[in-house]
PDB file of all heavy atoms in Angstrom:
ATOM      1  N   GLY H 264      26.065  -4.382  -1.880  1.00 96.00           N
ATOM      2  CA  GLY H 264      27.135  -3.466  -2.249  1.00 96.00           C
ATOM      3  C   GLY H 264      26.736  -2.373  -3.214  1.00 96.00           C
ATOM      4  O   GLY H 264      27.562  -1.493  -3.518  1.00 96.00           O
ATOM      5  N   LEU H 265      25.491  -2.376  -3.685  1.00 92.00           N
ATOM      6  CA  LEU H 265      25.095  -1.373  -4.671  1.00 92.00           C
ATOM      7  C   LEU H 265      25.185   0.039  -4.109  1.00 92.00           C
ATOM      8  O   LEU H 265      25.536   0.983  -4.836  1.00 92.00           O
ATOM      9  CB  LEU H 265      23.660  -1.666  -5.148  1.00 92.00           C
ATOM     10  CG  LEU H 265      23.096  -0.728  -6.220  1.00 92.00           C
ATOM     11  CD1 LEU H 265      23.970  -0.743  -7.472  1.00 92.00           C
ATOM     12  CD2 LEU H 265      21.666  -1.105  -6.573  1.00 92.00           C
ATOM     13  N   HIS H 266      24.901   0.206  -2.818  1.00 91.00           N
ATOM     14  CA  HIS H 266      24.954   1.544  -2.226  1.00 91.00           C
ATOM     15  C   HIS H 266      26.366   2.123  -2.246  1.00 91.00           C
ATOM     16  O   HIS H 266      26.553   3.334  -2.250  1.00 91.00           O
ATOM     17  CB  HIS H 266      24.408   1.522  -0.800  1.00 91.00           C
ATOM     18  CG  HIS H 266      25.248   0.740   0.173  1.00 91.00           C
ATOM     19  ND1 HIS H 266      25.464  -0.615   0.057  1.00 91.00           N
ATOM     20  CD2 HIS H 266      25.927   1.131   1.291  1.00 91.00           C
ATOM     21  CE1 HIS H 266      26.224  -1.034   1.042  1.00 91.00           C
ATOM     22  NE2 HIS H 266      26.531   0.010   1.805  1.00 91.00           N
ATOM     23  N   LEU H 267      27.367   1.244  -2.272  1.00 94.00           N
ATOM     24  CA  LEU H 267      28.761   1.691  -2.311  1.00 94.00           C
ATOM     25  C   LEU H 267      29.302   1.854  -3.724  1.00 94.00           C
ATOM     26  O   LEU H 267      30.216   2.642  -3.952  1.00 94.00           O
ATOM     27  CB  LEU H 267      29.642   0.689  -1.543  1.00 94.00           C
ATOM     28  CG  LEU H 267      29.359   0.563  -0.037  1.00 94.00           C
ATOM     29  CD1 LEU H 267      30.129  -0.620   0.531  1.00 94.00           C
ATOM     30  CD2 LEU H 267      29.733   1.844   0.698  1.00 94.00           C
ATOM     31  N   SER H 268      28.737   1.111  -4.667  1.00 94.00           N
ATOM     32  CA  SER H 268      29.303   1.077  -6.011  1.00 94.00           C
ATOM     33  C   SER H 268      28.486   1.835  -7.045  1.00 94.00           C
ATOM     34  O   SER H 268      28.948   1.989  -8.184  1.00 94.00           O
ATOM     35  CB  SER H 268      29.426  -0.387  -6.473  1.00 94.00           C
ATOM     36  OG  SER H 268      30.334  -1.092  -5.656  1.00 94.00           O
ATOM     37  N   LYS H 269      27.304   2.310  -6.717  1.00 88.00           N
ATOM     38  CA  LYS H 269      26.406   2.836  -7.753  1.00 88.00           C
ATOM     39  C   LYS H 269      27.020   4.019  -8.506  1.00 88.00           C
ATOM     40  O   LYS H 269      26.844   4.122  -9.731  1.00 88.00           O
ATOM     41  CB  LYS H 269      25.050   3.199  -7.158  1.00 88.00           C
ATOM     42  CG  LYS H 269      25.096   4.267  -6.065  1.00 88.00           C
ATOM     43  CD  LYS H 269      23.695   4.465  -5.466  1.00 88.00           C
ATOM     44  CE  LYS H 269      23.721   5.556  -4.399  1.00 88.00           C
ATOM     45  NZ  LYS H 269      22.371   5.732  -3.781  1.00 88.00           N
ATOM     46  N   SER H 270      27.723   4.883  -7.816  1.00 86.00           N
ATOM     47  CA  SER H 270      28.325   6.027  -8.498  1.00 86.00           C
ATOM     48  C   SER H 270      29.406   5.585  -9.477  1.00 86.00           C
ATOM     49  O   SER H 270      29.491   6.074 -10.617  1.00 86.00           O
ATOM     50  CB  SER H 270      28.924   7.015  -7.488  1.00 86.00           C
ATOM     51  OG  SER H 270      27.906   7.577  -6.687  1.00 86.00           O
ATOM     52  N   ALA H 271      30.235   4.628  -9.066  1.00 92.00           N
ATOM     53  CA  ALA H 271      31.295   4.108  -9.938  1.00 92.00           C
ATOM     54  C   ALA H 271      30.698   3.349 -11.119  1.00 92.00           C
ATOM     55  O   ALA H 271      31.215   3.418 -12.240  1.00 92.00           O
ATOM     56  CB  ALA H 271      32.238   3.196  -9.153  1.00 92.00           C
ATOM     57  N   ILE H 272      29.597   2.626 -10.891  1.00 91.00           N
ATOM     58  CA  ILE H 272      28.945   1.904 -11.983  1.00 91.00           C
ATOM     59  C   ILE H 272      28.453   2.882 -13.032  1.00 91.00           C
ATOM     60  O   ILE H 272      28.667   2.711 -14.233  1.00 91.00           O
ATOM     61  CB  ILE H 272      27.775   1.065 -11.431  1.00 91.00           C
ATOM     62  CG1 ILE H 272      28.301  -0.105 -10.590  1.00 91.00           C
ATOM     63  CG2 ILE H 272      26.910   0.528 -12.575  1.00 91.00           C
ATOM     64  CD1 ILE H 272      27.220  -0.855  -9.836  1.00 91.00           C
ATOM     65  N   ARG H 273      27.808   3.942 -12.566  1.00 82.00           N
ATOM     66  CA  ARG H 273      27.303   4.965 -13.486  1.00 82.00           C
ATOM     67  C   ARG H 273      28.454   5.624 -14.240  1.00 82.00           C
ATOM     68  O   ARG H 273      28.394   5.816 -15.455  1.00 82.00           O
ATOM     69  CB  ARG H 273      26.514   6.006 -12.696  1.00 82.00           C
ATOM     70  CG  ARG H 273      26.056   7.176 -13.504  1.00 82.00           C
ATOM     71  CD  ARG H 273      24.879   6.853 -14.378  1.00 82.00           C
ATOM     72  NE  ARG H 273      23.656   6.828 -13.598  1.00 82.00           N
ATOM     73  CZ  ARG H 273      22.482   6.460 -14.081  1.00 82.00           C
ATOM     74  NH1 ARG H 273      22.388   6.094 -15.331  1.00 82.00           N
ATOM     75  NH2 ARG H 273      21.405   6.445 -13.323  1.00 82.00           N
ATOM     76  N   LYS H 274      29.535   5.931 -13.522  1.00 87.00           N
ATOM     77  CA  LYS H 274      30.652   6.644 -14.134  1.00 87.00           C
ATOM     78  C   LYS H 274      31.391   5.771 -15.143  1.00 87.00           C
ATOM     79  O   LYS H 274      31.744   6.241 -16.246  1.00 87.00           O
ATOM     80  CB  LYS H 274      31.609   7.126 -13.047  1.00 87.00           C
ATOM     81  CG  LYS H 274      32.786   7.935 -13.553  1.00 87.00           C
ATOM     82  CD  LYS H 274      33.644   8.452 -12.390  1.00 87.00           C
ATOM     83  CE  LYS H 274      34.821   9.274 -12.894  1.00 87.00           C
ATOM     84  NZ  LYS H 274      35.655   9.777 -11.781  1.00 87.00           N
ATOM     85  N   GLN H 275      31.636   4.511 -14.784  1.00 92.00           N
ATOM     86  CA  GLN H 275      32.430   3.635 -15.656  1.00 92.00           C
ATOM     87  C   GLN H 275      31.580   2.903 -16.684  1.00 92.00           C
ATOM     88  O   GLN H 275      32.121   2.296 -17.623  1.00 92.00           O
ATOM     89  CB  GLN H 275      33.232   2.641 -14.803  1.00 92.00           C
ATOM     90  CG  GLN H 275      34.238   3.338 -13.883  1.00 92.00           C
ATOM     91  CD  GLN H 275      35.130   2.350 -13.160  1.00 92.00           C
ATOM     92  OE1 GLN H 275      35.596   1.381 -13.740  1.00 92.00           O
ATOM     93  NE2 GLN H 275      35.378   2.603 -11.877  1.00 92.00           N
ATOM     94  N   GLY H 276      30.272   2.915 -16.503  1.00 89.00           N
ATOM     95  CA  GLY H 276      29.386   2.384 -17.532  1.00 89.00           C
ATOM     96  C   GLY H 276      29.173   0.895 -17.515  1.00 89.00           C
ATOM     97  O   GLY H 276      28.606   0.347 -18.459  1.00 89.00           O
ATOM     98  N   TYR H 277      29.608   0.210 -16.458  1.00 94.00           N
ATOM     99  CA  TYR H 277      29.366  -1.235 -16.371  1.00 94.00           C
ATOM    100  C   TYR H 277      29.451  -1.672 -14.912  1.00 94.00           C
ATOM    101  O   TYR H 277      29.927  -0.915 -14.042  1.00 94.00           O
ATOM    102  CB  TYR H 277      30.380  -2.014 -17.196  1.00 94.00           C
ATOM    103  CG  TYR H 277      31.766  -2.111 -16.585  1.00 94.00           C
ATOM    104  CD1 TYR H 277      32.170  -3.279 -15.923  1.00 94.00           C
ATOM    105  CD2 TYR H 277      32.660  -1.041 -16.643  1.00 94.00           C
ATOM    106  CE1 TYR H 277      33.425  -3.367 -15.351  1.00 94.00           C
ATOM    107  CE2 TYR H 277      33.924  -1.134 -16.079  1.00 94.00           C
ATOM    108  CZ  TYR H 277      34.298  -2.295 -15.433  1.00 94.00           C
ATOM    109  OH  TYR H 277      35.544  -2.381 -14.855  1.00 94.00           O
ATOM    110  N   ALA H 278      28.981  -2.882 -14.648  1.00 96.00           N
ATOM    111  CA  ALA H 278      29.070  -3.464 -13.315  1.00 96.00           C
ATOM    112  C   ALA H 278      29.599  -4.892 -13.425  1.00 96.00           C
ATOM    113  O   ALA H 278      29.266  -5.602 -14.382  1.00 96.00           O
ATOM    114  CB  ALA H 278      27.712  -3.473 -12.629  1.00 96.00           C
ATOM    115  N   VAL H 279      30.414  -5.281 -12.442  1.00 96.00           N
ATOM    116  CA  VAL H 279      30.836  -6.671 -12.341  1.00 96.00           C
ATOM    117  C   VAL H 279      29.936  -7.341 -11.309  1.00 96.00           C
ATOM    118  O   VAL H 279      29.807  -6.860 -10.172  1.00 96.00           O
ATOM    119  CB  VAL H 279      32.310  -6.783 -11.898  1.00 96.00           C
ATOM    120  CG1 VAL H 279      32.690  -8.241 -11.644  1.00 96.00           C
ATOM    121  CG2 VAL H 279      33.221  -6.177 -12.962  1.00 96.00           C
TER     122      VAL H 279
END
Side-chain angles (χ1 to χ4, degrees):
L265 182 59
H266 67 296
L267 295 170
S268 297
K269 60 185 182 181
S270 295
I272 291 171
R273 174 77 77 186
K274 183 177 180 180
Q275 298 186 42
Y277 75 101
V279 174

